[in-house]
Amino acid sequence: MSLQIFLDRLDQLQSDAQNAFDGAAGIDALEDARVTFLGAKNGQFKDVQKMLGGIDSADKRTAGMRLNEVKKAINDAFETAQAQLDSGGDSQIEPGFDPSLPGHQPQLGHIHPITQTIDHLTEIMGRMGFEVAEGPEVEDPFHNFVALNIPEDHPARDPLDNFYLATAGKSADTGEGDALLRSQTSTVQIRVMQSRQPPIRIISLGRVYRPDAPDATHFPMFHQMEGLYVDTNVTMANLKTVLRVFANNYLGDDVEIRFRPSFFPFTEPSVEVDFLWNGSWIEFGGAGMIDPNVFAAVGYDPEKVSGFAFGLGVERLCMRRHGITDIRDLYSGDLRFLQQF
Ligand code: PHE
């Protein structure tokens, strides 16, 4: 056999063995590779070693020296690969993994500030005996307007001031008029009074929709907290007390409350509700004594029952309490903002 062929064969063996050891994924695979290349019986190195006998005697010395070099190189490659797997401990751990480094922190979500506010308001009102009622966000004109004493020609029903839906959604109760996204939670007053008899003490917290251009204080979707109290001999003093106790619980003991005369079709008399907080009066919503026409629309006797209702802006309450200045931040989905609450 020629010297050159022998030397080429050794080079090939060395690189094959090196690749096999480096690529061994675990201790078992490395042992298999060791037997393949260095096995005493049928190992590939043994095979090549046997060929030394066929080399011309003039070339034997060169061939023998190279054989020893390759044997050492293959042994070294095996030991290096073995040491690397051992230091990893677990044979499945990738090289370079450092188990002493801190792990990746999973990002935990949390409750949105408006939902937190809703929970808080529910808890405060619950302590005063108000239970939670819910109503649909897609409403019919009967609940959003008619039963609330808002006649057909009233400006509040203007298509430009409401999100009317396609004509397919006819009112289930009256069979007429287009469905719309409710513009106020006062719709729930009607639904509750239609389904039960006084005494009634409920709140309803949920989304309402109005086609307002978004700015720092307006958003086409926002939340209201509606309150409804119906019993015998309910007075405006009861209304003011409930709202004052609420304001003191939510915003602080020093908060004062003020009623300004106003108008809503479904309350008489009607007021705007302001809270004095940090030195300025801020309007938080509307309220009033239930209009007799509303009681009549739900089948109550206005001569026998009386009640009050109020509707407060949830975003406004949340923003005041947390010092938020732009309503759009609440709905931007920006985690840098949301994570602060
Ligand atoms: N629904 C009224 C609004 O959205 C608020 C209100 C509720 C007023 C209940 C009086 C009584 O502006």
Side-chain angles (χ1 to χ4, degrees):
M1 175 186 246
S2 88
L3 177 64
Q4 195 53 53
I5 292 177
F6 183 75
L7 294 180
D8 287 348
R9 184 74 190 86
L10 276 176
D11 287 346
Q12 185 64 45
L13 182 66
Q14 183 179 346
S15 85
D16 286 353
Q18 180 84 49
N19 288 340
F21 296 154
D22 288 350
I27 292 293
D28 292 345
L30 183 62
E31 176 58 14
D32 287 348
R34 190 194 65 77
V35 171
T36 303
F37 291 98
L38 297 172
K41 257 183 157 180
N42 296 316
Q44 290 189 22
F45 182 80
K46 260 274 160 348
D47 291 345
V48 180
Q49 195 176 25
K50 284 177 196 152
M51 297 173 190
L52 188 62
I55 300 290
D56 292 347
S57 44
D59 295 330
K60 268 225 168 79
R61 191 180 136 81
T62 314
M65 274 166 56
R66 181 73 190 127
L67 186 77
N68 284 334
E69 279 170 18
V70 170
K71 183 176 187 180
K72 184 173 182 320
I74 294 177
N75 272 314
D76 287 352
F78 171 75
E79 274 163 25
T80 307
Q82 191 176 44
Q84 201 144 55
L85 286 176
D86 284 350
S87 72
D90 182 339
S91 62
Q92 298 306 314
I93 290 179
E94 55 183 292
F97 176 79
D98 182 349
S100 67
L101 290 173
H104 294 294
Q105 279 285 1
Q107 280 213 7
L108 288 187
H110 72 294
I111 297 176
H112 190 278
I114 286 298
T115 311
Q116 290 181 36
T117 304
I118 287 174
D119 291 347
H120 193 176
L121 304 184
T122 303
E123 188 261 327
I124 292 171
M125 295 305 294
R127 278 189 266 144
M128 284 191 274
F130 285 79
E131 62 174 295
V132 172
E134 296 211 44
E137 289 176 25
V138 174
E139 264 295 5
D140 52 65
F142 178 78
H143 290 91
N144 203 86
F145 301 122
V146 178
L148 288 164
N149 203 28
I150 304 175
E152 188 80 59
D153 54 0
H154 194 280
R157 297 178 69 159
D158 193 316
L160 293 178
D161 289 330
N162 293 282
F163 286 111
Y164 284 98
L165 303 177
T167 26
K170 293 289 186 196
S171 159
D173 288 72
T174 63
E176 59 192 50
D178 295 341
L180 74 162
L181 297 178
R182 68 181 176 190
S183 60
Q184 50 184 355
T185 45
S186 301
T187 55
V188 184
Q189 292 181 35
I190 303 302
R191 291 188 173 273
V192 169
M193 288 193 281
Q194 279 180 321
S195 64
R196 37 175 141 156
Q197 293 298 313
I200 286 173
R201 210 187 311 183
I202 60 102
I203 49 167
S204 187
L205 290 125
R207 296 189 178 99
V208 298
Y209 302 84
R210 294 177 193 175
D212 292 327
D215 62 23
T217 55
H218 294 87
F219 206 71
M221 183 280 302
F222 60 100
H223 295 72
Q224 289 185 327
M225 174 169 74
E226 192 82 11
L228 174 68
Y229 193 136
V230 184
D231 205 337
T232 49
N233 305 314
V234 179
T235 71
M236 203 119 180
N238 301 141
L239 168 62
K240 202 162 192 177
T241 301
V242 165
L243 288 174
R244 185 178 46 75
V245 170
F246 164 76
N248 290 154
N249 272 282
Y250 187 67
L251 292 173
D253 282 340
D254 50 342
V255 172
E256 287 180 42
I257 176 170
R258 174 175 84 175
F259 281 175
R260 272 180 298 121
S262 184
F263 175 80
F264 297 101
F266 37 93
T267 46
E268 181 59 35
S270 303
V271 294
E272 305 284 341
V273 184
D274 300 340
F275 297 151
L276 177 62
W277 195 59
N278 283 351
S280 52
W281 288 102
I282 299 145
E283 184 193 319
F284 278 92
M289 305 305 293
I290 308 288
D291 192 290
N293 287 345
V294 174
F295 282 142
V298 297
Y300 287 3
D301 183 349
E303 298 299 325
K304 293 206 176 113
V305 294
S306 49
F308 65 71
F310 59 84
L312 305 181
V314 173
E315 277 77 1
R316 203 165 275 196
L317 289 164
C318 171
M319 287 165 73
R320 279 293 148 187
R321 191 167 202 271
H322 295 294
I324 299 168
T325 50
D326 193 323
I327 189 174
R328 290 168 294 189
D329 286 337
L330 288 167
Y331 300 114
S332 65
D334 188 338
L335 290 181
R336 291 168 303 177
F337 171 80
L338 293 173
Q339 274 163 349
Q340 300 174 67
F341 304 96

